[in-house]
Amino acid sequence: MKQNIFKGLFSQVEVAVSESFAKNSINTIKEFNLLKAFAFMVFCIGLCSYALYGVSIYLGNNMDKTAIPLDVNNEFIPVFSNIWYMHIQALLISIVVIIALVYKEKNNVKAFFFYNLFFTLSLLLFMIFVFKVSQLFVNEFWLRMLYTALFISSIVYIFLRSYHNAKEMVFGTKQKRSFIVEWFSRNRKSVMSTLFGVWGIYYLAKVIFPETGDIQTRLYGSLAEFAPLILCLVLFTFLYLNSVVIRSYYLYKYSEQFRQKFGVDKKEWYGEKYQG
């Protein structure tokens, strides 16, 4: 009989959802205020959608006028050139923000599941569009076709692998998250602070030593044709994102059982305005 990954019993998924995952899920929604919502929308919609769309249109119309002339016959120029592709991304991000704000303190667990679901979908659309833009910098037709085959193969593999991992999580023995993922879940704020610190030091060095900017420009130019390949590797982060969606689904489905298991107060778990 075919096993449905969304019909697991609480006893089957109990180990898969750790206490740190559950509490981080709740805090993600509780800390999502209006200021964060505004910054989130400006970054995801303004910069990652429409600004990138503008860059792609500009590049497509000026392929022969760049510092290094690009292939004016690049078949990716018209791909996703319709503004509605950006509107769909913007809609998904808007749904993410609306869900987080509407269900905040009313049902934090429910909000986290739908937050992750729609954000993962929007991120997939964004990655596909970034791949299109990166292909504009590749001059050789055969190399573009190779990258396209790798990109499609990566997507197919990732979702098949994600489905297999979900089956193992629900019906098999691979239920606990790996030590590395669990450690990152507990220490993500410290890790992100460290990364931002390194990023700040890097740009401070560029200000103090302007010659590093020339090195960076040459490096970017030499790596441009490898950008689609890098994106194929970045796609594998969806193995983690899809896992989060499945875990958040079961956290929502059996929210009361998990609340009792972790001994969390109802108002702390669901929110001050919860009426269930």
Side-chain angles (χ1 to χ4, degrees), residues 79-276:
V79 175
F80 304 127
S81 59
N82 193 308
I83 190 65
W84 279 101
Y85 189 83
M86 297 298 106
H87 292 340
I88 294 172
Q89 286 190 50
L91 175 62
L92 289 173
I93 291 298
S94 299
I95 292 173
V96 169
V97 171
I98 291 170
I99 286 173
L101 293 178
V102 168
Y103 285 101
K104 178 183 178 181
E105 296 300 333
K106 294 180 181 178
N107 194 328
N108 294 326
V109 181
K110 181 177 182 179
F112 184 73
F113 165 59
F114 287 106
Y115 172 98
N116 273 291
L117 176 62
F118 286 102
F119 181 68
T120 301
L121 289 173
S122 68
L123 191 58
L124 177 61
L125 293 182
F126 171 72
M127 290 295 293
I128 292 172
F129 191 78
V130 173
F131 179 77
K132 168 256 170 74
V133 175
S134 69
Q135 285 282 54
L136 297 179
F137 294 94
V138 181
N139 276 305
E140 294 81 6
F141 171 79
W142 69 268
L143 191 55
R144 292 195 295 268
M145 292 302 99
L146 176 61
Y147 286 149
T148 302
L150 287 173
F151 189 77
I152 294 173
S153 299
S154 296
I155 291 178
V156 172
Y157 172 79
I158 286 165
F159 282 93
L160 288 176
R161 185 73 246 180
S162 295
Y163 176 74
H164 179 73
N165 288 347
K167 283 183 65 176
E168 283 191 341
M169 186 194 83
V170 178
F171 303 107
T173 57
K174 188 181 178 181
Q175 296 182 320
K176 288 187 177 181
R177 295 194 293 177
S178 68
F179 169 78
I180 294 176
V181 173
E182 188 66 28
W183 178 88
F184 180 80
S185 177
R186 294 177 183 274
N187 301 279
R188 59 178 180 173
K189 289 185 178 180
S190 299
V191 173
M192 295 306 295
S193 297
T194 301
L195 291 176
F196 276 115
V198 172
W199 178 77
I201 293 172
Y202 168 70
Y203 275 93
L204 179 62
K206 285 184 63 177
V207 174
I208 299 174
F209 307 104
E211 61 274 12
T212 59
D214 297 331
I215 297 173
Q216 181 185 15
T217 301
R218 292 195 296 270
L219 179 62
Y220 285 171
S222 62
L223 291 178
E225 291 207 347
F226 293 98
L229 179 60
I230 295 173
L231 281 170
C232 290
L233 298 176
V234 173
L235 271 178
F236 281 84
T237 57
F238 279 92
L239 288 173
Y240 169 74
L241 295 174
N242 294 339
S243 171
V244 171
V245 171
I246 294 295
R247 282 180 164 83
S248 62
Y249 165 76
Y250 277 108
L251 180 65
Y252 165 52
K253 184 176 182 178
Y254 298 115
S255 55
E256 187 60 18
Q257 290 95 319
F258 280 115
R259 183 191 71 80
Q260 294 175 6
K261 175 186 176 181
F262 300 134
V264 182
D265 182 75
K266 271 193 174 184
K267 289 186 177 181
E268 176 70 19
W269 185 263
Y270 296 107
E272 295 288 337
K273 301 176 183 178
Y274 178 69
Q275 298 179 349

Side-chain angles (χ1 to χ4, degrees), residues 10-65:
F10 175 71
S11 58
Q12 293 174 302
V13 299
E14 182 179 2
V15 180
V17 179
S18 66
E19 184 175 358
S20 64
F21 177 83
K23 290 184 176 180
N24 283 335
S25 303
I26 294 168
N27 290 332
T28 296
I29 301 301
K30 289 174 66 176
E31 296 171 2
F32 198 86
N33 53 35
L34 288 173
L35 180 60
K36 285 188 176 182
F38 176 76
F40 186 77
M41 292 190 72
V42 168
F43 179 77
C44 293
I45 296 178
L47 298 179
C48 295
S49 292
Y50 293 110
L52 185 61
Y53 174 78
V55 170
S56 71
I57 295 298
Y58 175 81
L59 280 174
N61 293 329
N62 297 275
M63 298 289 282
D64 58 342
K65 298 177 183 177

